[in-house]
Amino acid sequence: MKAGTRSPPKRKGLGPERREEILDAALRLFAQYGLYGVSTRQIASAVGISQPTLYAYFPSKHDLAAALHDRAFTDLHARLVASLALPRTRDGFRVALRIYVDFGLDNPDAYRLAFMLEDPLGRTPRPDDHAVPPAAHATFGVMRTWVGELHAKGLASSDDPERLAQSLWAALHGLVALLLARPQFPWVEWETLIQGHIDLLLNAAVTVDPRRA
């Protein structure tokens, strides 16, 4: 659908369902045209509502982007939290690292908006543009928990678990961002690359687990 193409009018009063429709349409348009290449009028048209109706849910495009950012991190957080039920071992941690990679590759539009969005040249940032929202803090907190508990068991390679958690987070992001941004690069087979990358991180971050559970 072209930006500005109007969907058939929708009935009023859908509440949370309408909110999700707006977010879904905004994400599609942002992915196609960029955050700063789409207007709230175009988003409203894509949903089949008026611009004032959209503003009843989201006062500005910035609020829309913030909601999409939070939705992406909330989804990733829920997936990572599930990994905390696993044993605190090298193999358990492998699952947690893979969850992050799979989320990014399975949800490229949401990942780009949450992790890869930059301001266009010449735009004056808003004061809260670069504030880290609670959902992002909570999501990284799962990585911090994993590394901290491995460290407490003597399985972390560093005496600074916070630095190690941040380095692992950055390394995972680097792989996902490159695969999304440059899929045409002559990568080796993606599954082989992902497994090898995670093995590299585990070898650097986690000492040998004698139980190999």
Side-chain angles (χ1 to χ4, degrees):
M1 174 184 295
K2 294 182 179 180
T5 300
R6 176 173 290 277
S7 295
K10 302 287 183 67
R11 61 188 176 90
K12 298 179 179 180
L14 293 180
E17 181 183 344
R18 171 56 51 76
R19 185 179 188 276
E20 290 303 308
E21 288 179 350
I22 294 170
L23 288 173
D24 289 342
L27 184 59
R28 289 194 302 271
L29 291 171
F30 290 158
Q32 188 171 2
Y33 299 102
L35 176 61
Y36 303 105
V38 177
S39 69
T40 52
R41 185 180 300 277
Q42 290 166 337
I43 296 168
S45 179
V47 181
I49 59 177
S50 68
Q51 194 173 18
T53 298
L54 183 146
Y55 287 146
Y57 291 89
F58 301 99
S60 70
K61 187 168 64 174
H62 178 86
D63 293 300
L64 255 172
L68 285 167
H69 186 278
D70 283 351
R71 189 171 74 166
F73 272 106
T74 298
D75 188 1
L76 177 55
H77 177 259
R79 299 182 192 208
L80 286 172
V81 163
S83 74
L84 294 176
L86 298 169
R88 299 303 187 267
T89 62
R90 179 187 179 96
D91 289 342
F93 195 33
R94 179 192 302 277
V95 174
L97 299 183
R98 184 60 191 255
I99 287 172
Y100 179 103
V101 175
D102 286 345
F103 171 81
L105 297 182
D106 292 343
N107 302 274
D109 295 341
Y111 189 89
R112 288 188 184 97
L113 191 144
F115 285 92
M116 300 168 65
L117 185 66
E118 295 184 2
D119 292 330
L121 293 176
R123 176 179 178 269
T124 301
R126 291 168 46 134
D128 58 344
D129 272 353
H130 302 296
V132 180
H137 274 296
T139 304
F140 175 70
V142 180
M143 177 71 75
R144 183 188 288 117
T145 296
W146 263 106
V147 175
E149 293 186 7
L150 288 170
H151 178 266
K153 295 178 66 175
L155 297 176
S157 62
S158 171
D159 289 332
D160 187 347
E162 179 69 17
R163 178 184 59 78
L164 181 58
Q166 291 184 13
S167 293
L168 288 167
W169 190 263
L172 291 171
H173 169 69
L175 175 64
V176 174
L178 281 171
L179 292 177
L180 293 180
R182 295 293 182 267
Q184 73 279 8
F185 183 82
W187 305 107
V188 299
E189 195 272 328
W190 278 28
E191 181 61 25
T192 301
L193 178 63
I194 292 167
Q195 290 186 18
H197 189 75
I198 290 176
D199 284 342
L200 190 69
L201 297 181
L202 288 170
N203 289 338
V206 184
T207 59
V208 175
D209 180 354
R211 290 168 294 178
R212 297 296 296 162

